[in-house]
Amino acid sequence: MASEAYHDFETFDEILNFWADKRPGGPAFEQDDRVTSYAEVDDLTRRLVALFQAHGIAKGDRIAWLGKNSDRYCLLYMAAARMGAVMVPIGWRLASPEVAYILTDTGAKLLFAGAEFAEVANQVAADVPAKPAVIEAEAAIREARKLDPARYDPPGKDEPILQLYTSGTTGNPKGAVLSNGNLLGLRNPGNAAQLPWNFFDDGDCMLVAMPCAHIGGTGLVNIGLANGIRVLLQAEFTPVGVLEAIENGATHMFIVPAALQMVVQHPRAPDTDFSHLRYMMYGAAPMPLELLKEAVRTMPNANFLQAYGMTETSGTISILPPDDHELGGNERMRSAGKAVPGAEIEVRGPDNKEVARGEIGEVCIRSPSNTSGYWQLPEATAKTIDPDGWLHTGDAGVMDDDGYVYIQDRIKDMIISGGENVYPAEVENAIFGHPAVAEVAVIGVPSDKWGEEVKACVVAKPGASIDEGEIIAYARERIAAFKAPKSVDIIPVMPRNASGKILRRQLRAPYWEGRDRQVS
């Protein structure tokens, strides 16, 4: 354990300076056969700042990334963090109109693209008001190498450096603005509490296979860099890729349950050497107890950590530690664990006061990691973060006498399918224009493969007939394929309460009967 790893720096600019001095030859980023040392990251990001400045980028300006996980994205992100520009990674699976919405909302002046997304990036960029310049990632690196390292005024702890888009119940995504302090604010309390998983050895390696447009991807990059270890990036998740990375020395990773199932049930898993893997973090979706037990059996040397959090909290705010994981299962394994040091969790009622232990309410969080708000959405921010700084998650939960939080359901009806967040309103908006559809409600139903999958419940217009395949195809033309329904139920009447609100819980009930619909 390297003692110098546990500095108290509050910005990524300070962190990069530190590791360039302490571990100049140490690997920072690795992808395929390409390794970038901490000294090279320090130098290249300074040159990329010069590139940004040459394109008129200043502190507070937004720049965007469209592509899969990439060491090039990481360099661009860190260059932005050094000078105080704000990186906006855009999910590569999004449909063109969704990409255009994010570009329009941010007013991004530069759009960096992975090679296979350059054509789409150019097409979309030409149609949005800001008309951002599009630069292919490899070209950006080549251009930056020709420039002298820039002079710049680094941002402070509370200045934004990252903007992640999270879908909203209105159907449009919202940009959660995250600062240096948000992304690093829980690190030092965890170190002070001597949490063993907060400490890293020189040879440790963080595997990043989850999408960098989510906090579960970029958040791991942040952890790896803060601790001066190797960050191993895979363009996208594949079970074989994860197995090979673990055999090649990956010591830490985060995975969603649907992906974990694919890994442990892969034919190569029984012959894989898992001895390097020290911490397997999981979360973001329901984890069936039997799957967790199978994973523990498959990876007997790994310490399992369940992480509960969200984009708006910069990731993890509660942990179920390894000691609470038992091969035979226990009640606590159904929980999301306890608040991490430095964060507070309360379960509150409609009056915004804490309910008694054991009573259900809304999970609320106060933490230095909480976003300051949604980009240019003051009303949505005020609805989410109260005047005392408590962030209302929209998750219904119960807290036991020991402080363990048990998530019961999603107040906002979010569906998590294969680790991707899907909000019913987005899908409903895409389907509602179909000429045969009178009403539509979208729900999540159990899926052995994806954890949950999207189902549309539709009522036909009088005299019209509805074809399931046609509805699915209609949605796929308008939204990303992972958001489109996998199945369609045609129902005679939409269940509603007295005020006219659709009763999604009633639509879901037959599919979830006999199952624990827990959210991790």
Side-chain angles (χ1 to χ4, degrees):
M1 190 179 293
S3 60
E4 74 268 14
Y6 305 105
H7 53 75
D8 58 0
F9 298 133
E10 295 179 321
T11 72
F12 281 99
D13 183 65
E14 294 173 309
I15 284 168
L16 292 179
N17 288 336
F18 179 83
W19 288 120
D21 177 58
K22 295 294 184 184
R23 284 186 197 161
F29 301 131
E30 179 180 340
Q31 187 162 27
D32 302 324
D33 297 323
R34 186 166 56 205
V35 179
T36 310
S37 71
Y38 274 93
E40 290 170 323
V41 169
D42 180 58
D43 179 68
L44 260 177
T45 51
R46 293 175 185 276
R47 294 174 191 272
L48 283 166
V49 171
L51 175 68
F52 295 170
Q53 292 173 344
H55 284 270
I57 300 298
K59 186 181 287 187
D61 286 341
R62 269 59 183 167
I63 65 173
W65 164 261
L66 181 63
K68 297 182 180 181
N69 292 354
S70 171
D71 56 345
R72 286 5 198 166
Y73 159 73
C74 295
L75 288 164
L76 293 161
Y77 167 42
M78 280 297 109
R82 299 198 87 150
M83 69 167 290
V86 180
M87 172 57 79
V88 183
I90 301 173
W92 60 270
R93 297 173 67 191
L94 295 181
S96 293
E98 296 169 304
V99 175
Y101 178 86
I102 293 173
L103 288 176
T104 300
D105 191 52
T106 59
K109 296 181 178 180
L110 283 179
L111 173 57
F112 294 94
E116 62 193 293
F117 298 95
E119 184 178 349
V120 171
N122 277 295
Q123 290 172 352
V124 175
D127 290 335
V128 300
K131 293 188 169 30
V134 176
I135 307 177
E136 194 268 318
E138 210 55 50
I141 299 297
R142 287 196 302 270
E143 188 176 342
R145 289 188 192 277
K146 301 173 186 176
L147 303 175
D148 292 330
R151 294 181 179 274
Y152 58 91
D153 175 29
K157 168 188 167 185
D158 297 321
E159 292 183 81
I161 60 169
L162 182 65
Q163 190 163 312
L164 296 177
Y165 274 77
T166 176
S167 297
T169 53
T170 60
N172 288 327
K174 302 189 293 292
V177 180
L178 303 173
S179 67
N180 277 294
N182 296 148
L183 297 166
L184 297 166
L186 291 176
R187 182 169 176 271
N188 289 327
N191 291 349
Q194 294 291 301
L195 298 180
W197 48 88
N198 261 48
F199 293 85
F200 294 79
D201 297 327
D202 291 2
D204 281 350
C205 171
M206 180 68 76
L207 173 62
V208 180
M210 295 292 101
C212 281
H214 296 275
I215 193 65
T218 290
L220 297 185
V221 175
N222 296 337
I223 294 170
L225 289 177
N227 290 283
I229 64 170
R230 175 168 59 119
V231 177
L232 175 60
L233 293 119
Q234 294 184 342
E236 58 182 307
F237 164 79
T238 64
V240 170
V242 168
L243 292 169
E244 290 179 347
I246 292 170
E247 284 204 317
N248 292 329
T251 57
H252 295 68
M253 67 176 296
F254 172 82
I255 199 166
V256 299
L260 180 60
Q261 181 175 6
M262 294 179 198
V263 171
V264 301
Q265 294 181 357
H266 193 275
R268 286 182 57 172
D271 300 319
T272 297
D273 177 8
F274 289 101
S275 61
H276 296 292
L277 185 65
R278 289 182 27 230
Y279 284 100
M280 170 63 80
M281 298 172 281
Y282 67 91
M287 170 66 87
L289 183 57
E290 289 305 312
L291 172 59
L292 185 53
K293 288 160 65 174
E294 182 179 3
V296 172
R297 284 194 300 269
T298 305
M299 308 172 186
N301 297 322
N303 294 288
F304 281 76
L305 285 167
Q306 181 183 166
Y308 169 74
M310 57 202 313
T311 304
E312 290 88 341
T313 63
S314 306
T316 303
I317 46 82
S318 77
I319 283 281
L320 184 71
D323 289 348
D324 285 321
H325 288 76
E326 297 176 6
L327 190 57
N330 61 57
E331 185 59 28
R332 281 184 174 172
M333 286 171 70
R334 300 183 184 279
S335 80
K338 299 170 69 173
V340 299
E344 301 171 79
I345 300 177
E346 289 186 0
V347 177
R348 295 186 164 192
D351 59 358
N352 201 23
K353 294 181 180 178
E354 189 173 12
V355 301
R357 297 292 171 98
E359 290 187 12
I360 193 167
E362 184 176 15
V363 178
C364 298
I365 298 157
R366 186 162 62 182
S367 168
S369 63
N370 284 359
T371 177
S372 60
Y374 298 114
W375 173 246
Q376 296 183 333
L377 293 173
E379 291 182 6
T381 298
K383 287 179 180 177
T384 302
I385 304 171
D386 69 26
D388 295 323
W390 287 89
L391 187 146
H392 293 245
T393 66
D395 287 336
V398 172
M399 183 179 286
D400 69 15
D401 290 336
D402 297 317
Y404 286 76
V405 179
Y406 295 76
I407 307 298
Q408 303 300 309
D409 209 335
R410 301 180 185 89
I411 292 173
K412 297 176 182 176
D413 293 316
M414 186 177 74
I415 301 162
I416 301 180
S417 182
E420 295 281 4
N421 297 344
V422 182
Y423 278 81
E426 291 184 277
V427 189
E428 290 161 4
N429 287 345
I431 294 171
F432 192 75
H434 189 282
V437 172
E439 292 184 292
V440 56
V442 167
I443 59 172
V445 299
S447 166
D448 291 336
K449 184 175 184 181
W450 304 113
E452 288 184 274
E453 60 185 44
V454 179
K455 176 182 282 290
C457 302
V458 299
V459 177
K461 289 181 179 176
S465 61
I466 291 177
D467 176 80
E468 179 183 35
E470 189 178 316
I471 296 295
I472 293 170
Y474 186 86
R476 279 172 169 257
E477 291 174 3
R478 289 157 177 79
I479 52 174
F482 72 86
K483 297 179 182 180
K486 297 287 191 296
S487 60
V488 177
D489 282 356
I490 299 155
I491 59 176
V493 63
M494 195 65 69
R496 298 179 181 274
N497 64 13
S499 64
K501 184 179 179 181
I502 293 173
L503 298 172
R504 286 196 182 86
R505 185 182 292 272
Q506 188 172 316
L507 292 170
R508 285 196 301 256
Y511 299 97
W512 291 95
E513 190 173 353
R515 294 179 181 247
D516 287 321
R517 190 168 192 262
Q518 301 295 328
V519 182
S520 2

